[in-house]
Amino acid sequence: MNRLPIHAVLPQIRAALAGPGASVLIAPPGAGKTTAVAPDLIGQIWCTGQVIITSPRRVAARAAAERMAEMLGEAVGVTVGYITRLDRKTSAKTRILVVTEAILVNRLVDDPELPGVSALLFDEAHERSVDSDLGLALALETRSVLREDLRVLVMSATIDGARFGRLLGDGAPVIESEGKSFPLVIKWLGSDTAQAIEDRMAGAVLTAWREEQGDILAFLPGVREIERVRERLEARLPDVPIHALHGQIEPVAQRAAIRRDSQGRRRIVLASAIAETSLTLDGVRVVVDSGLARLAEFDRTAGTTHLVTRRASQASATQRAGRAARQGPGVAYRLWEEAGHAGRPEFAAPEIAQADLAPLLLRLAKWGTSDPVDLAWLDTPAEASVSAARAALEALGALDGTGRITLMGEALSALPMAPDQAAAVLRGACAGCGEDAARLVMLLQERGLGGRGEDLMQRLARWRGDRAPRAVSAQRIAQGWAGQALKLAGAMERTPAIDAA
């Protein structure tokens, strides 16, 4: 097995988890933290159960599990498995389980003691999603109150290690690993607001194709831009394999984008932020960065979440550029001026500062606390956001006037979706159309399902005829939601005293 930089600090990680039981690991891209730490831990004397690793995205979770299984010479689902929303491969023999962050949160809420789990590894913690922050807060509470033996390791390339160390408690060491990277050249192409981003990116990719060698990874803000750039490039480079890489495509297409071309041809991968972290794309020597990121922001006044396009942070740009120098010298093209780089935000704002907190508040109510300040956070949720979330949940009948969860709230929290969507499925079940409601909610959550477009009924019709694995899996899950909602509705009807708050 090739020796990676992370191997030099594995003894420190073992000592930290055997002693204090909690630690922070800062490891630059290429160090090997995602795939090397967990296999090392399952051999420790204290590790008698599973090691769970969180991943911010489904494609990264699958890729990490498949890579670790390959390193062990096994099929995925034996010693190493994964669970994502639409896919899972695991067995009674699984010791290392890679999960998306929401999966871990749901597991903690359902059973805070986490029986059979020896360690939690929070990978790519710098992304600061709501589920990552909530999962860590719940894990620390579990460790403090119920499971002193539960080991917790926070891992990332760019986080403020000292802040996380203080959050984990006295004695939690911050361990730093060297990275594995090669020389990287940055080329600044400047900005041109008069030209559409798709045209600028297509032109930049063509420039990189002519000037450099090796495969190209291009970062775009979203699926729409990816498809438009793909159309432009296919017209100019008809014999070149051009792959899309984002969360709305089938796993088989995601795997094809990650791997080298089977015929040895140079390839181009057009990716969303999904490719920033965790993934190593074999053969990539060139990155073309639009400098843009698409984020979800919650409007408290309107009570809705919408997608906005913002300038990517400096940390994000560093992560993206680093993809070019993982396996050899690389080049990164940036579509903005060098002089303006320092004006970009240093880090992206944590999602908890700009997201709808109703799902978080309902989970906490089910956990047993009505006030987020009762838990340890890196950034405590803003009171205005908490108040808006509490009002929304009270309007749904999920919380009573004291912030405690109601029977309706228990039912809504049992469905794996946002509270307003759960209410739609539950009320649909009561009205005899639970499966239709569940399918519509699935379409709202899985944006590429049934094709693109705003007309949900057209997408629903296309989805019904889609036999692809992702579509079939989504159909099965939606049917499960409808069945679960029907049982919950029946249980509520049979309960004599229902809090109607």
Side-chain angles (χ1 to χ4, degrees):
M1 182 183 298
N2 293 333
R3 184 170 178 83
L4 297 168
I6 196 69
H7 291 136
V9 299
L10 288 178
Q12 294 175 249
I13 297 171
R14 292 186 212 118
L17 296 186
S23 182
V24 178
L25 171 63
I26 300 177
K33 67 182 185 315
T34 300
T35 56
V37 175
D40 183 73
L41 295 181
I42 60 173
Q44 301 306 299
I45 191 169
W46 53 263
C47 190
T48 57
Q50 281 187 337
V51 173
I52 294 181
I53 311 172
T54 65
S55 178
R57 299 178 181 88
R58 285 177 275 185
V59 61
R62 282 193 299 267
E66 289 168 355
R67 176 58 181 153
M68 282 187 280
E70 181 183 8
M71 291 165 61
L72 294 175
E74 299 180 351
V76 68
V78 187
T79 301
V80 184
Y82 66 84
I83 300 176
T84 68
R85 184 179 177 194
L86 299 180
D87 192 15
R88 63 185 295 151
K89 286 190 178 180
T90 184
S91 68
K93 296 180 180 180
T94 299
R95 296 288 313 283
I96 300 170
L97 187 63
V98 190
V99 302
T100 47
E101 294 158 345
I103 298 288
L104 175 62
V105 169
N106 291 337
R107 187 162 174 179
L108 278 161
V109 170
D110 289 340
D111 192 344
E113 291 193 31
L114 289 183
V117 176
S118 293
L120 297 178
L121 277 53
F122 291 85
D123 198 14
E124 307 301 352
H126 72 277
E127 295 206 12
R128 300 294 312 281
S129 72
V130 169
D131 284 329
S132 177
D133 281 4
L134 176 56
L136 182 56
L138 296 180
L140 294 179
E141 184 73 2
T142 284
R143 177 172 156 76
S144 173
V145 178
L146 301 172
R147 288 281 312 277
E148 291 183 358
D149 64 321
L150 181 66
R151 271 66 175 186
V152 174
L153 180 65
V154 177
M155 308 191 300
S156 187
T158 63
I159 60 174
D160 184 338
R163 286 191 74 202
F164 272 91
R166 290 192 295 272
L167 182 69
L168 295 185
D170 294 338
V174 177
I175 300 168
E176 296 194 39
S177 168
E178 297 292 330
K180 181 183 180 183
S181 63
F182 295 86
L184 176 67
V185 174
I186 304 293
K187 294 188 177 183
W188 306 88
L189 300 184
S191 59
D192 181 2
T193 55
Q195 193 177 22
I197 184 62
E198 296 90 347
D199 293 325
R200 293 172 55 213
M201 280 296 289
V205 171
L206 290 170
T207 297
W209 185 264
R210 291 191 301 267
E211 294 181 350
E212 306 297 337
Q213 299 295 315
D215 296 349
I216 296 176
L217 171 62
F219 285 97
L220 291 129
V223 176
R224 178 181 58 202
E225 291 84 359
I226 287 173
E227 292 306 318
R228 289 176 178 174
V229 172
R230 186 175 190 169
E231 290 173 2
R232 288 159 171 76
L233 292 177
E234 286 176 341
R236 299 288 300 274
L237 302 170
D239 299 322
V240 174
I242 301 174
H243 300 275
L245 181 57
H246 52 78
Q248 298 178 22
I249 61 175
E250 296 286 340
V252 64
Q254 292 172 344
R255 294 185 184 100
I258 292 170
R259 296 170 182 160
R260 292 176 187 263
D261 182 68
S262 59
Q263 299 177 36
R265 298 171 296 177
R266 288 179 72 190
R267 79 191 196 280
I268 297 171
V269 180
L270 307 176
S272 65
I274 201 171
E276 272 187 27
T277 56
S278 297
L279 298 173
T280 294
L281 276 68
D282 287 335
V284 167
R285 294 290 185 271
V286 183
V287 162
V288 180
D289 187 0
S290 68
L292 300 174
R294 187 150 295 147
L295 308 171
E297 288 189 358
F298 181 65
D299 185 334
R300 288 199 296 267
T301 303
T304 58
T305 298
H306 55 279
L307 294 175
V308 296
T309 302
R310 299 277 188 256
R311 292 187 304 165
S313 69
Q314 295 180 47
S316 178
T318 299
Q319 288 274 6
R320 294 177 182 187
R323 302 287 110 182
R326 292 289 290 267
Q327 298 175 325
V331 178
Y333 291 76
R334 288 175 171 170
L335 271 67
W336 65 95
E337 294 83 0
E338 182 177 8
H341 185 67
R344 288 174 173 260
E346 187 176 1
F347 296 97
E351 189 181 15
I352 204 166
Q354 53 196 16
D356 177 11
L357 298 187
L360 179 147
L361 213 61
L362 185 59
R363 283 162 159 170
L364 290 182
K366 185 175 180 180
W367 172 273
T369 181
S370 60
D371 194 339
V373 300
D374 293 338
L375 299 180
W377 303 90
L378 203 62
D379 292 284
T380 303
E383 180 54 39
S385 297
V386 172
S387 296
R390 185 174 290 120
L393 292 172
E394 288 179 6
L396 288 173
L399 298 181
D400 64 17
T402 68
R404 293 181 179 177
I405 194 167
T406 63
L407 182 62
M408 171 64 80
E410 291 282 2
L412 298 183
S413 68
L415 293 168
M417 60 195 72
D420 56 346
Q421 295 176 347
V425 176
L426 187 62
R427 287 166 183 162
C430 292
C433 55
E435 197 160 319
D436 288 338
R439 288 195 179 104
L440 290 172
V441 166
M442 178 63 80
L443 288 176
L444 290 172
Q445 296 181 358
E446 297 292 325
R447 297 180 63 86
L449 202 59
R452 296 188 58 78
E454 299 302 320
D455 190 322
L456 288 180
M457 299 312 294
Q458 288 184 3
R459 287 179 58 200
L460 182 61
R462 289 193 293 264
W463 178 25
R464 290 181 190 277
D466 192 346
R467 295 291 90 196
R470 176 170 176 250
V472 172
S473 178
Q475 286 275 15
R476 185 173 61 250
I477 290 173
Q479 289 169 357
W481 290 348
Q484 186 180 6
L486 191 60
K487 291 179 181 177
L488 291 167
M492 290 178 67
E493 287 181 357
R494 292 191 296 272
T495 302
I498 298 179
D499 187 345

